[in-house]
Amino acid sequence: MTWEQRWHPLREEWVVVAAHRQDRPWIGETVNREESPLPDYLSDCYFCPGNIRVSGARNENYTSTFVFDNDHPCVGEDAPDKLETPPGIFKNSAASGVARIVCYSPRHNLTLAELHSSEIEKLLTVWQAQYVELGNRKEINHVLIFENKGDVVGVSNPHPHCQIYATNFIFKTIEIESRVSGRYLSETGRVLFQDMIAAELEDGRRIIFENDTAVAFLPYFARYAYETYVAPRRPHPSIATMTSGEIKGFAEALKNLLVRLDNLWRMSFPYVLALHQAPTDGGRYDGFHFHIEIHPPLRRPNLLKYLAGPEIGGGNFLSDTAPEEKAAELRSQPETHYKQLA
Ligand SMILES: [Zn+2]
Ligand SMILES: [Zn+2]
Protein backbone atom coordinates (compact mmCIF):
# COMPACT_ATOMS: atom_id res chain seq x y z
CA MET A 1 0.00 0.00 0.00
CA THR A 2 0.96 3.62 -0.39
CA TRP A 3 0.43 5.70 2.70
CA GLU A 4 2.33 8.95 2.72
CA GLN A 5 2.27 12.67 2.10
CA ARG A 6 3.62 13.87 -1.23
CA TRP A 7 4.75 17.44 -1.81
CA HIS A 8 3.15 19.30 -4.73
CA PRO A 9 6.02 21.56 -5.82
CA LEU A 10 3.94 23.77 -8.15
CA ARG A 11 1.35 24.55 -5.48
CA GLU A 12 3.60 24.15 -2.43
CA GLU A 13 1.17 21.97 -0.55
CA TRP A 14 0.89 18.40 0.70
CA VAL A 15 -1.21 15.75 -0.98
CA VAL A 16 -2.13 12.87 1.32
CA VAL A 17 -1.94 9.56 -0.56
CA ALA A 18 -3.62 6.69 1.28
CA ALA A 19 -4.04 3.90 -1.26
CA HIS A 20 -4.77 0.47 0.11
CA ARG A 21 -3.80 -2.80 -1.42
CA GLN A 22 -7.36 -4.06 -1.95
CA ASP A 23 -7.88 -1.28 -4.51
CA ARG A 24 -6.73 -3.29 -7.47
CA PRO A 25 -6.26 -1.55 -10.81
CA TRP A 26 -9.53 -1.14 -12.66
CA ILE A 27 -8.25 -2.40 -15.99
CA GLY A 28 -10.93 -4.03 -18.09
CA GLU A 29 -13.82 -2.35 -16.35
CA THR A 30 -16.12 -0.45 -18.64
CA VAL A 31 -19.06 1.80 -18.06
CA ASN A 32 -22.35 -0.05 -18.13
CA ARG A 33 -24.56 2.55 -19.71
CA GLU A 34 -24.59 2.74 -23.48
CA GLU A 35 -23.24 5.98 -24.83
CA SER A 36 -25.94 7.20 -27.18
CA PRO A 37 -24.10 8.23 -30.33
CA LEU A 38 -24.38 11.88 -31.30
CA PRO A 39 -25.07 12.94 -34.90
CA ASP A 40 -22.48 14.79 -37.05
CA TYR A 41 -24.69 17.84 -37.19
CA LEU A 42 -27.61 19.14 -35.10
CA SER A 43 -29.87 21.88 -36.44
CA ASP A 44 -30.51 23.33 -32.97
CA CYS A 45 -26.87 23.30 -31.80
CA TYR A 46 -25.52 26.81 -31.27
CA PHE A 47 -22.04 25.67 -32.30
CA CYS A 48 -22.69 23.69 -35.48
CA PRO A 49 -21.72 25.39 -38.78
CA GLY A 50 -24.27 27.73 -40.36
CA ASN A 51 -26.59 27.73 -37.32
CA ILE A 52 -27.94 30.86 -35.63
CA ARG A 53 -26.73 31.37 -32.08
CA VAL A 54 -28.68 32.71 -29.09
CA SER A 55 -27.26 36.19 -29.82
CA GLY A 56 -28.75 36.10 -33.32
CA ALA A 57 -25.34 35.82 -34.98
CA ARG A 58 -24.95 33.13 -37.61
CA ASN A 59 -21.99 30.73 -37.42
CA GLU A 60 -19.71 30.56 -40.43
CA ASN A 61 -19.78 27.41 -42.50
CA TYR A 62 -16.45 26.60 -40.96
CA THR A 63 -14.41 23.57 -41.95
CA SER A 64 -11.79 23.22 -39.18
CA THR A 65 -11.73 25.32 -35.99
CA PHE A 66 -14.09 28.24 -35.31
CA VAL A 67 -13.51 31.05 -32.79
CA PHE A 68 -16.20 33.47 -31.65
CA ASP A 69 -17.10 35.68 -28.70
CA ASN A 70 -19.10 33.86 -26.01
CA ASP A 71 -22.79 34.82 -26.09
CA HIS A 72 -23.01 34.29 -22.32
CA PRO A 73 -19.74 35.82 -21.13
CA CYS A 74 -18.86 35.91 -17.45
CA VAL A 75 -16.32 38.61 -18.26
CA GLY A 76 -16.71 41.08 -21.10
CA GLU A 77 -16.07 44.51 -22.56
CA ASP A 78 -19.65 45.49 -21.66
CA ALA A 79 -19.33 44.63 -17.96
CA PRO A 80 -20.74 47.52 -15.89
CA ASP A 81 -18.02 49.76 -14.47
CA LYS A 82 -20.29 51.83 -12.22
CA LEU A 83 -20.41 49.49 -9.28
CA GLU A 84 -21.95 49.75 -5.87
CA THR A 85 -19.28 50.55 -3.28
CA PRO A 86 -19.12 47.67 -0.79
CA PRO A 87 -18.84 48.23 2.95
CA GLY A 88 -15.67 48.22 5.04
CA ILE A 89 -12.73 46.15 3.87
CA PHE A 90 -14.60 44.61 0.92
CA LYS A 91 -13.70 45.61 -2.60
CA ASN A 92 -14.96 44.96 -6.11
CA SER A 93 -13.92 45.58 -9.68
CA ALA A 94 -15.49 45.57 -13.13
CA ALA A 95 -15.55 42.04 -14.62
CA SER A 96 -13.94 43.30 -17.81
CA GLY A 97 -12.21 41.04 -20.29
CA VAL A 98 -12.93 38.86 -23.27
CA ALA A 99 -14.68 35.47 -23.28
CA ARG A 100 -14.49 33.33 -26.39
CA ILE A 101 -15.42 29.87 -27.59
CA VAL A 102 -13.25 27.72 -29.83
CA CYS A 103 -15.08 24.90 -31.62
CA TYR A 104 -12.61 22.13 -32.42
CA SER A 105 -14.30 20.89 -35.55
CA PRO A 106 -17.53 21.38 -37.52
CA ARG A 107 -18.51 17.88 -36.48
CA HIS A 108 -20.86 17.88 -33.51
CA ASN A 109 -19.65 14.46 -32.35
CA LEU A 110 -15.87 14.61 -32.75
CA THR A 111 -14.07 15.00 -29.44
CA LEU A 112 -10.51 16.22 -28.98
CA ALA A 113 -9.34 12.64 -28.41
CA GLU A 114 -10.81 11.62 -31.76
CA LEU A 115 -9.32 14.46 -33.82
CA HIS A 116 -6.39 13.51 -36.01
CA SER A 117 -3.04 14.55 -34.58
CA SER A 118 -2.65 17.07 -37.43
CA GLU A 119 -6.02 18.63 -36.50
CA ILE A 120 -4.88 18.96 -32.88
CA GLU A 121 -1.72 20.59 -34.24
CA LYS A 122 -3.90 23.13 -36.07
CA LEU A 123 -5.89 23.75 -32.87
CA LEU A 124 -2.66 24.38 -30.96
CA THR A 125 -1.71 27.08 -33.48
CA VAL A 126 -5.16 28.65 -32.95
CA TRP A 127 -4.49 28.66 -29.20
CA GLN A 128 -1.09 30.25 -29.90
CA ALA A 129 -2.71 33.04 -31.94
CA GLN A 130 -5.42 33.65 -29.32
CA TYR A 131 -2.90 33.83 -26.48
CA VAL A 132 -0.76 36.33 -28.44
CA GLU A 133 -3.65 38.47 -29.67
CA LEU A 134 -5.51 38.69 -26.36
CA GLY A 135 -2.37 38.74 -24.21
CA ASN A 136 -1.04 41.74 -26.15
CA ARG A 137 -4.03 43.84 -25.08
CA LYS A 138 -3.02 46.27 -22.37
CA GLU A 139 -6.00 45.50 -20.14
CA ILE A 140 -5.56 41.70 -20.35
CA ASN A 141 -3.28 40.28 -17.65
CA HIS A 142 -3.94 36.62 -18.23
CA VAL A 143 -5.39 34.30 -20.88
CA LEU A 144 -6.98 31.14 -19.50
CA ILE A 145 -7.79 28.49 -22.11
CA PHE A 146 -9.73 25.49 -20.82
CA GLU A 147 -12.12 22.73 -21.80
CA ASN A 148 -14.88 21.31 -19.61
CA LYS A 149 -15.81 17.91 -20.98
CA GLY A 150 -18.72 15.70 -19.99
CA ASP A 151 -22.04 15.94 -18.17
CA VAL A 152 -20.38 15.43 -14.79
CA VAL A 153 -18.48 18.70 -15.11
CA GLY A 154 -21.64 20.51 -16.20
CA VAL A 155 -21.13 20.95 -19.92
CA SER A 156 -24.19 22.54 -21.48
CA ASN A 157 -23.36 21.86 -25.12
CA PRO A 158 -21.67 18.58 -26.08
CA HIS A 159 -20.32 20.03 -29.37
CA PRO A 160 -16.57 19.73 -28.68
CA HIS A 161 -15.18 23.13 -27.79
CA CYS A 162 -13.02 24.98 -25.32
CA GLN A 163 -13.34 28.38 -23.73
CA ILE A 164 -11.04 31.36 -23.37
CA TYR A 165 -11.24 33.79 -20.46
CA ALA A 166 -8.93 36.74 -21.06
CA THR A 167 -9.10 38.72 -17.85
CA ASN A 168 -7.76 41.76 -16.06
CA PHE A 169 -6.75 39.51 -13.13
CA ILE A 170 -4.54 36.42 -12.94
CA PHE A 171 -6.29 33.20 -12.01
CA LYS A 172 -5.21 31.89 -8.61
CA THR A 173 -3.48 28.69 -9.74
CA ILE A 174 -1.42 30.62 -12.29
CA GLU A 175 -0.56 33.24 -9.69
CA ILE A 176 0.70 30.49 -7.36
CA GLU A 177 2.66 28.67 -10.09
CA SER A 178 4.17 31.98 -11.28
CA ARG A 179 5.29 32.96 -7.81
CA VAL A 180 6.67 29.52 -6.93
CA SER A 181 8.50 29.02 -10.24
CA GLY A 182 9.89 32.57 -10.16
CA ARG A 183 11.33 32.06 -6.70
CA TYR A 184 12.74 28.64 -7.66
CA LEU A 185 14.51 30.22 -10.65
CA SER A 186 16.04 32.99 -8.55
CA GLU A 187 17.15 30.57 -5.81
CA THR A 188 18.50 27.75 -7.96
CA GLY A 189 18.96 29.18 -11.45
CA ARG A 190 16.76 26.37 -12.75
CA VAL A 191 13.22 26.02 -14.08
CA LEU A 192 11.10 24.12 -11.56
CA PHE A 193 9.06 22.23 -14.17
CA GLN A 194 12.29 21.09 -15.88
CA ASP A 195 13.39 19.50 -12.63
CA MET A 196 9.95 17.90 -12.26
CA ILE A 197 10.18 16.39 -15.76
CA ALA A 198 13.71 15.19 -15.05
CA ALA A 199 12.54 13.43 -11.87
CA GLU A 200 9.57 11.87 -13.69
CA LEU A 201 11.83 10.61 -16.51
CA GLU A 202 14.35 9.26 -13.99
CA ASP A 203 11.61 7.30 -12.18
CA GLY A 204 9.80 6.40 -15.41
CA ARG A 205 6.79 4.65 -13.85
CA ARG A 206 4.39 7.56 -14.34
CA ILE A 207 5.46 8.51 -17.88
CA ILE A 208 2.53 7.82 -20.20
CA PHE A 209 4.10 8.94 -23.47
CA GLU A 210 7.20 10.75 -24.69
CA ASN A 211 8.73 11.83 -27.97
CA ASP A 212 11.59 14.15 -28.96
CA THR A 213 9.84 17.36 -27.97
CA ALA A 214 7.04 16.55 -25.52
CA VAL A 215 6.21 14.36 -22.55
CA ALA A 216 2.91 13.23 -20.98
CA PHE A 217 2.84 11.94 -17.41
CA LEU A 218 0.75 11.39 -14.31
CA PRO A 219 2.62 13.41 -11.70
CA TYR A 220 4.08 11.97 -8.49
CA PHE A 221 1.88 14.33 -6.46
CA ALA A 222 -1.38 13.90 -8.45
CA ARG A 223 -4.42 15.16 -6.54
CA TYR A 224 -6.94 13.36 -8.79
CA ALA A 225 -6.70 9.66 -9.65
CA TYR A 226 -6.13 10.27 -13.37
CA GLU A 227 -4.63 13.77 -13.19
CA THR A 228 -2.23 14.03 -16.12
CA TYR A 229 0.11 16.64 -17.60
CA VAL A 230 1.45 17.27 -21.09
CA ALA A 231 4.45 19.57 -21.51
CA PRO A 232 7.07 20.50 -24.07
CA ARG A 233 10.54 19.28 -23.07
CA ARG A 234 12.06 22.73 -23.53
CA PRO A 235 10.86 25.45 -21.15
CA HIS A 236 8.48 27.87 -22.84
CA PRO A 237 6.59 30.31 -20.60
CA SER A 238 3.65 29.99 -22.99
CA ILE A 239 2.57 28.18 -26.12
CA ALA A 240 3.44 31.33 -28.11
CA THR A 241 7.18 30.62 -28.45
CA MET A 242 6.91 26.96 -29.38
CA THR A 243 8.26 26.02 -32.81
CA SER A 244 6.17 24.17 -35.38
CA GLY A 245 8.19 21.04 -34.62
CA GLU A 246 7.43 21.34 -30.93
CA ILE A 247 3.75 21.93 -31.65
CA LYS A 248 3.68 18.78 -33.75
CA GLY A 249 5.28 16.71 -30.99
CA PHE A 250 2.99 18.22 -28.37
CA ALA A 251 -0.12 17.41 -30.44
CA GLU A 252 1.05 13.82 -30.74
CA ALA A 253 1.58 13.55 -26.96
CA LEU A 254 -1.79 15.13 -26.13
CA LYS A 255 -3.60 12.88 -28.61
CA ASN A 256 -1.89 9.78 -27.24
CA LEU A 257 -2.84 10.63 -23.66
CA LEU A 258 -6.48 11.47 -24.47
CA VAL A 259 -6.91 8.24 -26.42
CA ARG A 260 -5.62 6.22 -23.46
CA LEU A 261 -8.01 7.99 -21.10
CA ASP A 262 -10.97 7.18 -23.39
CA ASN A 263 -9.79 3.60 -23.79
CA LEU A 264 -9.52 3.04 -20.04
CA TRP A 265 -13.24 2.41 -19.56
CA ARG A 266 -14.23 2.67 -23.23
CA MET A 267 -16.07 5.89 -22.64
CA SER A 268 -15.59 9.50 -23.62
CA PHE A 269 -13.57 10.44 -20.53
CA PRO A 270 -14.83 13.54 -18.70
CA TYR A 271 -12.30 16.11 -17.53
CA VAL A 272 -11.36 19.70 -16.97
CA LEU A 273 -8.40 20.49 -19.21
CA ALA A 274 -6.49 23.75 -18.76
CA LEU A 275 -3.50 25.38 -20.43
CA HIS A 276 -1.20 26.79 -17.77
CA GLN A 277 0.63 29.72 -19.32
CA ALA A 278 2.52 32.72 -18.01
CA PRO A 279 0.48 35.84 -17.24
CA THR A 280 0.42 38.61 -19.86
CA ASP A 281 0.69 41.50 -17.43
CA GLY A 282 4.10 42.63 -18.68
CA GLY A 283 6.08 40.83 -15.95
CA ARG A 284 9.01 38.47 -16.52
CA TYR A 285 8.14 34.80 -16.25
CA ASP A 286 11.34 33.03 -17.28
CA GLY A 287 10.73 30.34 -14.66
CA PHE A 288 7.28 29.46 -15.99
CA HIS A 289 7.01 26.34 -18.12
CA PHE A 290 3.88 25.97 -20.25
CA HIS A 291 1.92 22.78 -19.69
CA ILE A 292 -1.57 21.34 -20.02
CA GLU A 293 -3.17 19.89 -16.91
CA ILE A 294 -6.05 17.42 -17.21
CA HIS A 295 -8.18 16.88 -14.14
CA PRO A 296 -10.69 14.05 -14.59
CA PRO A 297 -13.35 13.95 -11.84
CA LEU A 298 -13.88 10.16 -11.99
CA ARG A 299 -12.02 7.76 -9.68
CA ARG A 300 -13.70 4.68 -11.08
CA PRO A 301 -16.41 4.12 -13.70
CA ASN A 302 -19.50 5.90 -12.41
CA LEU A 303 -17.74 7.07 -9.23
CA LEU A 304 -16.85 10.72 -8.83
CA LYS A 305 -14.09 12.09 -6.64
CA TYR A 306 -16.05 14.13 -4.14
CA LEU A 307 -14.36 17.11 -2.64
CA ALA A 308 -15.10 17.01 1.07
CA GLY A 309 -13.54 17.72 4.47
CA PRO A 310 -9.84 17.66 3.55
CA GLU A 311 -10.28 19.42 0.20
CA ILE A 312 -13.06 21.93 0.86
CA GLY A 313 -12.75 22.14 4.62
CA GLY A 314 -8.97 22.18 4.82
CA GLY A 315 -7.71 22.96 1.31
CA ASN A 316 -5.47 19.90 0.82
CA PHE A 317 -6.29 16.87 -1.30
CA LEU A 318 -6.61 13.35 -0.02
CA SER A 319 -6.11 10.71 -2.70
CA ASP A 320 -6.99 7.06 -2.16
CA THR A 321 -5.24 5.88 -5.30
CA ALA A 322 -1.52 5.40 -5.90
CA PRO A 323 -0.28 7.49 -8.86
CA GLU A 324 2.00 4.60 -9.94
CA GLU A 325 -1.01 2.23 -10.24
CA LYS A 326 -3.13 4.74 -12.13
CA ALA A 327 -0.23 5.49 -14.48
CA ALA A 328 0.25 1.73 -15.05
CA GLU A 329 -3.41 1.48 -16.09
CA LEU A 330 -2.95 4.24 -18.66
CA ARG A 331 0.39 2.88 -19.87
CA SER A 332 -1.24 -0.49 -20.61
CA GLN A 333 -3.94 1.01 -22.84
CA PRO A 334 -3.85 0.67 -26.64
CA GLU A 335 -2.80 3.75 -28.59
CA THR A 336 -5.72 3.49 -31.03
CA HIS A 337 -9.06 4.94 -29.98
CA TYR A 338 -11.61 2.27 -29.08
CA LYS A 339 -14.15 3.69 -31.52
CA GLN A 340 -11.68 3.11 -34.34
CA LEU A 341 -10.93 -0.42 -33.12
CA ALA A 342 -14.59 -1.41 -33.07
ZN1 LIG B 1 -22.98 21.11 -32.80
ZN1 LIG C 1 0.01 23.95 -13.77
Side-chain angles (χ1 to χ4, degrees), residues 4 20 27 29-30 48 51 111 126 169 180 258 285 290 297:
E4 64 188 5
H20 297 274
I27 292 170
E29 178 127 358
T30 55
C48 277
N51 290 356
T111 65
V126 170
F169 71 95
V180 168
L258 294 172
Y285 295 99
F290 160 63

Side-chain angles (χ1 to χ4, degrees), residues 8 10-11 173-174 177 193 196 221 227 229 274-277 288-293 295:
H8 191 318
L10 290 171
R11 300 181 57 85
T173 298
I174 303 303
E177 289 190 3
F193 208 97
M196 268 174 49
F221 48 81
E227 177 174 334
Y229 291 14
L275 279 71
H276 282 185
Q277 311 197 70
F288 204 100
H289 185 134
F290 160 63
H291 55 284
I292 281 182
E293 292 191 11
H295 297 266

Side-chain angles (χ1 to χ4, degrees), residues 39-49 51 62 103 105-109 157-160:
D40 267 8
Y41 167 82
L42 258 187
S43 58
D44 62 352
C45 168
Y46 290 134
F47 297 166
C48 277
N51 290 356
Y62 62 99
C103 291
S105 147
R107 278 185 54 185
H108 186 78
N109 55 2
N157 187 334
H159 192 126

Side-chain angles (χ1 to χ4, degrees), residues 248-321:
K248 190 175 195 301
F250 192 97
E252 189 191 2
L254 180 59
K255 161 89 184 170
N256 187 285
L257 174 61
L258 294 172
V259 165
R260 288 172 194 265
L261 286 167
D262 276 11
N263 284 346
L264 190 61
W265 300 322
R266 295 176 78 88
M267 68 178 286
S268 191
F269 211 67
Y271 56 66
V272 173
L273 175 155
L275 279 71
H276 282 185
Q277 311 197 70
T280 56
D281 61 350
R284 284 196 70 100
Y285 295 99
D286 299 336
F288 204 100
H289 185 134
F290 160 63
H291 55 284
I292 281 182
E293 292 191 11
I294 297 171
H295 297 266
L298 293 177
R299 297 158 60 206
R300 293 176 194 162
N302 303 317
L303 184 61
L304 282 170
K305 160 75 178 168
Y306 290 105
L307 304 187
E311 296 86 7
I312 293 175
N316 286 71
F317 270 63
L318 193 151
S319 171
D320 65 0
T321 55

Side-chain angles (χ1 to χ4, degrees), residues 22 49 51 69 76 102 118 131 134 137 158 168 226 271 284 302:
Q22 63 266 30
N51 290 356
D69 287 343
V102 182
S118 63
Y131 176 84
L134 295 166
R137 296 196 191 181
N168 59 8
Y226 297 98
Y271 56 66
R284 284 196 70 100
N302 303 317

Side-chain angles (χ1 to χ4, degrees), residues 114-229:
E114 296 164 84
L115 290 181
H116 190 271
S117 187
S118 63
E119 295 169 311
I120 298 178
E121 210 178 310
K122 167 86 198 317
L123 174 65
L124 291 168
T125 63
V126 170
W127 286 345
Q128 269 183 321
Q130 290 292 317
Y131 176 84
V132 170
E133 184 215 317
L134 295 166
N136 277 337
R137 296 196 191 181
K138 201 173 159 299
E139 72 281 11
I140 300 299
N141 290 327
H142 180 240
V143 181
L144 182 70
I145 302 175
F146 64 95
E147 178 189 354
N148 298 330
K149 177 166 173 261
D151 297 342
V152 292
V153 294
V155 174
S156 52
N157 187 334
H159 192 126
H161 68 282
C162 70
Q163 302 186 57
I164 302 175
Y165 287 180
T167 52
N168 59 8
F169 71 95
I170 300 166
F171 273 85
K172 193 67 190 175
T173 298
I174 303 303
E175 185 196 309
I176 294 170
E177 289 190 3
S178 300
R179 179 162 32 83
V180 168
S181 57
R183 201 185 62 233
Y184 192 86
L185 181 68
S186 67
E187 285 174 1
T188 66
R190 297 196 306 273
V191 173
L192 174 60
F193 208 97
Q194 290 275 294
D195 285 359
M196 268 174 49
I197 292 176
E200 288 294 351
L201 289 170
E202 185 188 327
D203 184 303
R205 286 175 296 170
R206 292 172 304 275
I207 301 289
I208 312 298
F209 178 82
E210 59 177 311
N211 57 26
D212 287 350
T213 59
V215 56
F217 59 98
L218 192 151
Y220 171 76
F221 48 81
R223 296 186 302 164
Y224 290 88
Y226 297 98
E227 177 174 334
T228 34
Y229 291 14

